[in-house]
Amino acid sequence: MARKRKTDGRTPRRALWSRTLIAITACGVAVGGLAAYRSYSDGSATAAERPVTTEEASRLALSRLNLYQASPVAVTLTAAEGGAVVVRVEGVVDYRTHRAVGSYRVTGSAGSSGASGQLDHGLIVWDAGGLGLAPVPGDASGPPWQQAGQIPRSGWSSRSYTSDPLDAGLQLLIGLGADRPDNPMLLAQSGARWLGRDRIDGRGYDRFAGPRAQGATPGAGSDGKRSPLTYWVDGDGGLRRVTMRMPGLGTPTTVEFSGREDRAKLPEAPWGTG
């Protein structure tokens, strides 16, 4: 992941994610109310997909508010950049301030030998306007948010978002939490669909396709009209995972939520992004 200052003027490596679809993603992440939750059965995980029920739409809608109330939340983002290059970000998002901080590692093949290994690593901060990158301090210790607090503003290389998979994932992630639920009826009418049930770390989750972009053709499946976003939501409206399919990439960008991080205190200095 090359470090680019916002004044470098370089063109992104790949235009895999159009500006229009990024806007759809940010606005279309409708995720409000809670009703009784039916129990899991082993045989239902393979059932055919269908439109969400009123209760399911309520849980899906509530998940944005739950993220906001749980802030700061520990997250892991994995983005495939193409050419076997993968970027993994582990950090914390505070949805009350719409700020996030973490560490990143880039792995993949390097050089003519094609040997796999770590290509780059460092610290990353991001918000609604863009992101900043910095090397890990030589004497750094503790979690990323503490390390980031040791770096002065001048030590960060900041830039606006580009169209590459990592940036699209970071932009999606920072916009997932909200201080109020959305309207579950509108969510259901926009094409949210139940896809199945999965177990993650021993807990059951319903898997949902998110609402489609306005004007999309009704229906879902292999016709490409399904939302690029998929959500894993538990019986209390808790969001555990979100994936985002991107044109030209077989591996979706994945966001994992692992609960509230009570110790986290996000630094003030790095937020010169955009």
Side-chain angles (χ1 to χ4, degrees):
M1 180 169 61
R3 293 173 183 162
K4 297 179 283 187
R5 293 187 179 274
K6 59 185 176 182
T7 57
D8 64 7
R10 282 181 283 176
T11 302
R13 289 174 293 170
R14 291 174 301 279
L16 298 178
W17 188 253
S18 70
R19 297 292 183 184
T20 301
L21 192 50
I22 288 178
I24 291 171
T25 298
C27 297
V29 181
V31 247
L34 177 63
Y37 182 58
R38 63 182 175 281
S39 61
Y40 285 87
S41 64
D42 294 338
S44 64
T46 58
E49 67 177 78
R50 53 169 172 70
V52 294
T53 66
T54 300
E55 183 271 329
E56 289 164 350
S58 294
R59 281 192 286 118
L60 181 58
L62 186 63
S63 61
R64 288 188 79 191
L65 176 61
N66 284 341
L67 272 184
Y68 178 90
Q69 293 178 334
S71 293
V73 181
V75 300
T76 300
L77 182 151
T78 305
E81 292 278 326
V85 174
V86 175
V87 185
R88 182 180 176 90
V89 176
E90 297 181 348
V92 173
V93 179
D94 187 340
Y95 286 106
R96 289 180 169 82
T97 61
H98 297 286
R99 295 175 175 176
V101 61
S103 61
Y104 73 88
R105 293 185 181 275
V106 185
T107 58
S109 300
S112 58
S113 66
S116 297
Q118 181 172 287
L119 304 179
D120 192 14
H121 74 285
L123 299 176
I124 183 169
V125 293
W126 71 101
D127 57 19
L131 62 93
L133 303 173
V136 177
D139 58 349
S141 62
W145 58 87
Q146 291 181 355
Q147 298 177 22
Q150 303 175 31
I151 300 175
R153 186 181 296 270
S154 60
W156 292 90
S157 176
S158 61
R159 61 173 172 81
S160 300
Y161 289 116
T162 70
S163 57
D164 72 21
L166 172 64
D167 288 21
L170 294 172
Q171 198 169 13
L172 166 69
L173 178 53
I174 202 68
L176 281 175
D179 61 358
R180 66 193 67 186
D182 289 308
N183 187 321
M185 182 178 296
L186 293 179
L187 186 154
Q189 292 173 349
S190 298
R193 297 180 68 83
W194 180 88
L195 304 179
R197 296 191 184 118
D198 298 307
R199 298 193 74 81
I200 304 174
D201 295 333
R203 185 175 178 85
Y205 294 86
D206 277 316
R207 178 166 27 97
F208 299 107
R212 296 185 307 273
Q214 186 175 3
T217 303
S222 59
D223 60 5
K225 301 305 181 182
R226 180 192 293 166
S227 166
L229 301 177
T230 302
Y231 304 84
W232 281 255
V233 180
D234 69 15
D236 298 318
L239 187 60
R240 178 62 173 78
R241 175 185 294 164
V242 178
T243 63
M244 176 171 58
R245 301 191 315 275
M246 300 191 67
L249 289 178
T251 303
T253 296
T254 301
V255 175
E256 302 271 0
F257 297 94
S258 50
R260 179 177 175 83
E261 180 51 84
D262 292 311
R263 302 172 300 160
K265 182 178 181 181
L266 276 65
E268 293 295 333
W271 306 109
T273 56

